[in-house]
Amino acid sequence: MIIGVWVLWLIALFIWSLLIGGIDRKIVAHLQGRYGPPFWQDITDFLKLFRKRGKTATRSSSIVSDVALIVGIIAVVVGLSILPMPTVGGYTQLLSTSGDLIILAYVFALLAIVYVLIGFGGKSPYTMVGASREVSMLLSYEIPFILVIVAMGYRAILLTGLPVSTIFSIAGFLVLKQKMALLLLDPIFLGSFLVLLILGPAIVGAVPFDIPEAETEIVDGYGAEMHGPRLGVLFGIKHMKLLLYAYFLWTIFLSPVTSNIWLNIIMTLLGTLLMVLVIYTVPRAVSGRFRVEQGAKFYLLGPGLASIVLLLLSLI
Amino acid sequence: MDILKPEKSLWIYHLNTGSCNGCDIEILAALTPKYDAERFGVKLVGSPRHADIVVATGPVTAVAKESVLRVIDQVPDPKAIVVVGVCGITGGVFRGGYSVAGPLDTLVPVDVYVFGCPPKPEGIMVGILKAAEVLELKRKGNYHKEVVKISEHGETI
Ligand code: SF4
């Protein structure tokens, strides 16, 4: 029963991720004084890609990109099975372990590695450069990301009094959310939230940190050799990664807990949209692209130092 | 339903085959907020493998010929080719030059011609939308090669 509901939720979230992509394009268009595409544009784009038939470059390895895409789909499914789904009486996880927050961190890293694999599978100079840029971005944002997650875990067990073995469990955060009205009232969680917001554009590959894609310099980077249905799957994975990160921020930090299932569903959908606006749409509308060393320096010096301070404070 | 129609999603690839850059500026002008091509689902892509429509400019120089053919071959089917500017259509002022291997339609089938030196962004937009109609005919299997000619202001000639 719960698996059936969860599959429906997964499909709904996938359609929502495509709609969010269209809404984002519409909002950016309005910010620039244009009409922009219809808000279902990304659904049309996604479906169209499955009707295209092209030739794969002889040097590209389709096996590597196919494996990478399958890993990407699995990573998205695992991520969504861990994040709490709105149900009657609150939020429930389909799969819950004592270390699911770490699994979630792995999911984001794995999705970045999927892009790297696709880039190396493409075997063109552009895809290779895209892949190596993705690796350098991964190294610069992953350190603050993990440190912040550790700081959050320590703080959660301190505040809930749960055993140390549950330090990285999302269930612990759900308990905490019932105790505290708003997690952001706590300075450590507020700091962690802000660091995660700043890390957002790099994790989801948004401007100004869409350095691995950079379509004007390296013709779309790692995905340059993808076409047709494979590009469609990659397009879907990118949308789901954005949704997954927005969903993670919303459910851990902000989502209010109510017992009405419909209210929970609507708030989750609107909450993810709000997070996407903050981490994706606004940066994309107001800034240009950074160079790779600027991006790496920014993350290591800004969120990197902030995450070390947060970790030390959470241990005190 | 529009949402399911592939012709509502037009990813274009801009191919310069050796133009003077005049037509290229106008193509980019057609994509700026003033003309807002995105409202028709148009998106400029960086890789020919992602494209539906190739918007080509220039007379195809001898050095560019091989690359142009390779790039057009990389575009997945169904695809449409729009030639922008008289250079791409007839060779223009460069016709007969020792370094010219074009015009493009002597090398690959072209679907839409947009006249002008350079055409206005309005003409280029109409050309792209006509290419969408060509894509629809190709998808439905009743495409008969008919040349679509657009004036620089966007009227069908
Ligand atoms: S048609 Fe005119 S503007 Fe366009 S490339 Fe040729 S010379 Fe330049």
Side-chain angles (χ1 to χ4, degrees):
Chain A
M1 170 66 187
I2 181 121
I3 292 211
V5 174
W6 176 77
V7 170
L8 285 180
W9 177 236
L10 196 94
I11 295 169
L13 280 183
F14 179 61
I15 296 171
W16 181 237
S17 76
L18 293 174
L19 280 175
I20 282 184
I23 294 171
D24 157 69
R25 284 169 76 175
K26 191 91 189 161
I27 290 175
V28 171
H30 278 270
L31 288 175
Q32 296 175 341
R34 313 184 266 130
Y35 288 113
F39 64 87
W40 59 81
Q41 184 64 45
D42 280 16
I43 298 183
T44 315
D45 289 355
F46 176 74
L47 295 176
K48 174 206 73 180
L49 288 170
F50 286 87
R51 295 181 168 201
K52 303 283 288 179
R53 293 287 170 265
K55 291 182 208 150
T56 306
T58 36
R59 63 172 178 270
S60 305
S61 161
S62 351
I63 297 175
V64 175
S65 52
D66 285 351
V67 169
L69 291 175
I70 293 169
V71 172
I73 295 170
I74 294 172
V76 166
V77 171
V78 169
L80 284 177
S81 66
I82 289 171
L83 282 170
M85 150 176 87
T87 43
V88 187
Y91 291 83
T92 325
Q93 289 173 274
L94 183 76
L95 300 175
S96 156
T97 68
S98 53
D100 41 20
L101 206 53
I102 292 292
I103 298 179
L104 203 60
Y106 268 111
V107 164
F108 290 118
L110 200 60
L111 285 171
I113 289 172
V114 164
Y115 298 164
V116 175
L117 277 180
I118 288 173
F120 285 126
K123 288 190 189 155
S124 107
Y126 298 117
T127 61
M128 296 287 211
V129 171
S132 62
R133 286 184 179 198
E134 183 70 47
V135 174
S136 37
M137 283 313 290
L138 179 68
L139 292 178
S140 52
Y141 68 69
E142 201 59 16
I143 299 167
F145 186 62
I146 295 291
L147 290 180
V148 161
I149 290 215
V150 175
M152 281 162 54
Y154 272 118
R155 188 67 180 169
I157 52 165
L158 197 77
L159 292 179
T160 49
L162 287 170
V164 185
S165 57
T166 61
I167 173 166
F168 295 124
S169 110
I170 291 178
F173 282 89
L174 295 182
V175 172
L176 189 62
K177 279 175 77 170
Q178 274 168 354
K179 274 174 90 173
M180 288 171 70
L182 187 60
L183 231 54
L184 294 185
L185 294 177
D186 182 80
I188 301 279
F189 284 123
L190 180 64
S192 308
F193 179 67
L194 293 178
V195 170
L196 290 175
L197 275 189
I198 299 172
L199 293 179
I203 292 180
V204 301
V207 178
F209 300 105
D210 64 334
I211 300 163
E213 291 175 27
E215 70 279 352
T216 43
E217 303 154 25
I218 50 167
V219 301
D220 230 30
Y222 53 79
E225 295 289 335
M226 304 289 274
H227 59 84
R230 286 198 185 98
L231 182 63
V233 176
L234 179 62
F235 187 78
I237 289 178
K238 279 188 193 170
H239 278 71
M240 284 308 274
K241 188 177 182 187
L242 174 60
L243 180 103
L244 208 59
Y245 194 70
Y247 188 11
F248 159 67
L249 289 183
W250 175 257
T251 40
I252 296 286
F253 291 100
L254 293 170
S255 67
V257 183
T258 65
S259 53
N260 185 325
I261 177 169
W262 296 111
L263 205 59
N264 283 343
I265 290 176
I266 290 170
M267 279 193 307
T268 305
L269 297 182
L270 293 182
T272 48
L273 176 62
L274 176 73
M275 290 291 105
V276 168
L277 292 185
V278 175
I279 61 171
Y280 190 82
T281 309
V282 175
R284 172 168 113 80
V286 300
S287 69
R289 184 178 306 118
F290 279 9
R291 289 205 307 273
V292 67
E293 75 273 13
Q294 287 172 327
K297 212 171 172 183
F298 171 81
Y299 276 122
L300 289 175
L301 291 182
L305 291 180
S307 58
I308 294 174
V309 173
L310 283 170
L311 182 61
L312 293 177
L313 288 177
S314 68
L315 293 176
I316 296 170
Chain B
M1 254 167 64
D2 276 2
I3 190 170
L4 300 175
K5 265 177 121 179
E7 295 76 33
K8 291 285 170 190
S9 157
L10 304 169
W11 290 8
I12 64 171
Y13 180 74
H14 171 199
L15 177 65
N16 181 336
T17 69
S19 88
C20 78
N21 212 25
C23 289
D24 308 85
I25 291 174
E26 298 302 322
I27 290 176
L28 295 186
L31 300 170
T32 52
K34 181 167 166 55
Y35 294 96
D36 190 17
E38 203 185 9
R39 73 197 136 116
F40 302 114
V42 173
K43 184 168 118 175
L44 187 68
V45 291
S47 166
R49 293 193 190 279
H50 302 181
D52 304 299
I53 297 175
V54 178
V55 181
T57 60
V60 191
T61 55
V63 263
K65 184 180 159 191
E66 283 308 308
S67 314
V68 167
L69 292 177
R70 248 174 64 199
V71 163
I72 290 180
D73 189 46
Q74 285 174 358
V75 180
D77 287 320
K79 65 182 163 211
I81 299 179
V82 181
V83 170
V84 170
V86 283
C87 279
I89 300 170
T90 64
V93 289
F94 306 109
R95 187 182 177 91
Y98 71 93
S99 59
V100 173
L104 190 64
D105 60 2
T106 58
L107 305 170
V108 286
V110 169
D111 301 294
V112 181
Y113 296 92
V114 184
F115 284 77
C117 178
K120 289 181 173 239
E122 291 90 330
I124 298 170
M125 291 274 285
V126 173
I128 291 172
L129 295 177
K130 287 286 173 196
E133 289 172 18
V134 169
L135 281 176
E136 184 168 3
L137 290 175
K138 283 184 177 173
R139 174 171 61 90
K140 290 182 176 160
N142 44 14
Y143 174 66
H144 309 291
K145 176 107 190 70
E146 293 161 13
V147 176
V148 184
K149 293 179 184 161
I150 309 291
S151 79
E152 63 177 317
H153 301 286
E155 296 105 17
T156 309
I157 306 173

